[in-house]
Amino acid sequence: MQAAMNELVSDVSFDGPTLAVEELSKCYEVPGQEPFCAVRSLSMNIGRGECFGLLGPNGAGKSTSMNCITGFYPATNGKILIMGIDVQKDPRRARLHLGVCAQEDTLDTDFTVLYQMVLYGGYFGIPLEESERRAKELIEKFGLTEKVNEPAETLSGGMRRRLQVARALISRPALLILDEPTTGLDPEARRVVWDVVGEFRKAGGTVLLSTHYMEEAQRLCDRVAILYRGNMLDCAPPMDLIDKHAGTEYINEEIRPGVFWKRPPNLEDVYLKLTGTQLESEAQ
Amino acid sequence: MSQLRGIYCVWRRYFAVYQKSIGFGLITTFAEPLLYLLSFGFGLGSMIGDFEYHGLHITYRQFIFAGVAAQTVLFQGFFEAAYGGFVRMYYQRIFHAIAVTPITLSEILWAELLWDASRASTAVFAVFIIGCISGDFHVLGAVCALPVVFLCALLFAGLGLLTAARSRTIDEISYPQFLFVFPMFLFCGVFFPITQLPEAMRGFAWFLPLTSVTDILRAFTLGVPCFILSPFIILCWLVGLVYCARRAMFKRLVK
């Protein structure tokens, strides 16, 4: 069992929260204006094996929060601890526990599928042979074996996305940050990513996920935070959020002109209600 | 992982890309200075003949060889950092990908500058080999000049990276290229001694970094004295440009 766990996550010994964010704020200076705050006093604790979702419209502060958590952006205020290590004070050590799949395609198109994963392992100080062994395992897990020696630029969009998630796992991180990992994937490829996320969590890994797909959040996340203009509007398990904001009664929805169907409330209703309410109150 | 190891890992990545197309890389690295040497050194040089430079009788070929070495430092250092750096930063997003690993952005930018300087130094090394074989350079001087060449290449890599950081699109790189790099190439002593320039232009030419780079490389390869302030001018430009390039790139990438 331990050996299987170690295939995806190397450090499962830490007792505290894998990710602790305390009062995180990120503001930008705007010449001649008040500073613009993309994230305001965001706090969350994510425990080992948990999948935590960040939902919100464009500009809600999801990617900015993630960039602060990775230590790429300096926080204006607040504290971020990964496995108890302060990201802002010791980013090098904190990032040893971190795997990141960014929203944008950041694959190294100069190299083949295998070599770029091996190279990426090198950035974490993983020896060449070990990095190659792990890379081959992940390539197989993500169904890319046939493309192992192909240049990354020749892969389809879905394959590139899978490769990016696989690459994020090469260091066997304790915390995996996935910023819209399944955008543009076909249902089959999306299922592969979901399965690996499930497997990663079973191995003790923690996931911070940002997505626009409510179905994905509802399916994968233990807890979901809804962000809007840098503020966390609510945070709870998906079903609790649905009960609290959308109720339990079936919704009669017109799906085409004159065609109605009754369906149970879902996370999308919560999302639209919370962010829609905000839009209305701002308009007034 | 130490800072140096981080820088080495990223430098190694650049070298791996270079290795992949080493044939093409070597051709482009060596072809350009070779063409200049053939055209100006052997072609134009045979028409001009000898002249006196700092009290020494030299051929125009000897004069231009050192100029071509300086021009190679400028072009290879600037273009690799400006265009290569822009592509890696903007299109390939290499900096973003690596900066979320234990390697910091500061180390990535050092590696970028060092790689650009390494590549430019390799090209100058090729010019030195040809100069030594043809008997136009002092061998010992050329060997001693290599560390200086690397620093000069770092200077122009700084200029290139600063340009990449300040350009919104890849086309905008051509503005500093035409307004700063090409005028330097033409008026900083590569093709003729700057004493031939009108008095008013001479002071300005000395202010530009390529004049001092050309001057100091001639001193090493021909054994003539160099302007006493040349090392100081190079050092000032080097520190200033590397600092500004790193700062501008941080400002662009880190919000």
Side-chain angles (χ1 to χ4, degrees), chain B:
Chain B
M1 187 185 279
S2 68
Q3 259 190 331
L4 277 179
R5 172 134 179 80
I7 293 169
Y8 171 72
C9 276
V10 183
W11 187 92
R12 186 75 187 72
R13 181 238 164 240
Y14 289 125
F15 185 65
V17 177
Y18 184 70
Q19 263 182 320
K20 250 183 41 164
S21 50
I22 196 147
F24 179 74
L26 283 175
I27 288 169
T28 52
T29 305
F30 288 86
E32 188 190 304
L34 261 173
L35 291 174
Y36 277 111
L37 290 175
L38 285 173
S39 166
F40 292 100
F42 293 92
L44 190 64
S46 63
M47 291 173 69
I48 293 176
D50 294 3
F51 68 101
E52 199 170 304
Y53 182 72
H54 283 288
L56 198 73
H57 261 286
I58 58 167
T59 61
Y60 184 70
R61 201 175 75 196
Q62 284 177 300
F63 180 82
I64 196 76
F65 264 34
V68 169
Q71 167 266 325
T72 306
V73 182
L74 167 70
F75 280 1
Q76 297 275 344
F78 175 81
F79 287 121
E80 179 68 22
Y83 286 99
F86 190 87
V87 167
R88 287 185 278 271
M89 176 262 298
Y90 186 80
Y91 293 109
Q92 293 187 304
R93 303 183 72 86
I94 302 289
F95 298 171
H96 291 84
I98 304 175
V100 292
T101 70
I103 296 172
T104 62
L105 183 58
S106 171
E107 290 156 20
I108 296 167
L109 296 179
W110 276 124
E112 170 71 42
L113 287 164
L114 291 173
W115 167 253
D116 302 332
S118 309
R119 200 152 170 204
S121 301
T122 313
V124 178
F125 184 61
V127 178
F128 281 179
I129 290 173
I130 297 163
C132 290
I133 291 171
S134 64
D136 292 309
F137 282 171
H138 288 296
V139 177
L140 187 63
V143 172
C144 293
L146 282 173
V148 179
V149 164
F150 187 82
L151 290 179
C152 297
L154 200 57
L155 181 164
F156 293 120
L159 177 64
L161 198 64
L162 176 63
T163 305
R166 300 300 296 267
S167 301
R168 279 171 301 172
T169 64
I170 201 159
D171 297 331
E172 283 187 16
I173 294 174
S174 57
Y175 295 130
Q177 182 184 318
F178 287 109
L179 296 175
F180 192 61
V181 173
F182 281 138
M184 268 203 291
F185 168 59
L186 295 172
F187 300 108
C188 286
V190 170
F191 298 106
F192 53 86
I194 61 162
T195 46
Q196 303 299 310
L197 286 172
E199 184 84 36
M201 278 181 77
R202 233 178 284 165
F204 183 67
W206 270 116
F207 169 74
L208 297 172
L210 188 64
T211 308
S212 296
V213 171
T214 314
D215 185 51
I216 213 161
L217 289 186
R218 281 209 175 100
F220 273 107
T221 54
L222 302 180
V224 293
C226 76
F227 179 44
I228 195 161
L229 290 179
S230 285
F232 178 72
I233 293 169
I234 290 173
L235 209 63
C236 287
W237 275 102
L238 172 66
V239 173
L241 283 173
V242 168
Y243 173 78
C244 290
R246 285 171 51 80
R247 198 180 146 87
M249 204 42 110
F250 264 103
K251 206 172 163 188
R252 173 151 188 171
L253 295 172
V254 180
K255 304 280 191 288

Side-chain angles (χ1 to χ4, degrees), chain A residues 106-124:
Chain A
T106 59
L107 288 177
D108 205 329
T109 46
D110 284 310
F111 298 114
T112 63
V113 168
L114 176 66
Y115 190 69
Q116 76 167 283
M117 287 193 62
V118 174
L119 196 73
Y120 204 74
Y123 300 147
F124 288 85

Side-chain angles (χ1 to χ4, degrees), chain A residues 249-255 259-265:
Chain A
E249 281 188 22
Y250 273 52
I251 294 168
N252 197 17
E253 191 175 41
E254 187 175 16
I255 51 169
V259 180
F260 292 85
W261 79 319
K262 279 195 164 184
R263 60 163 181 83

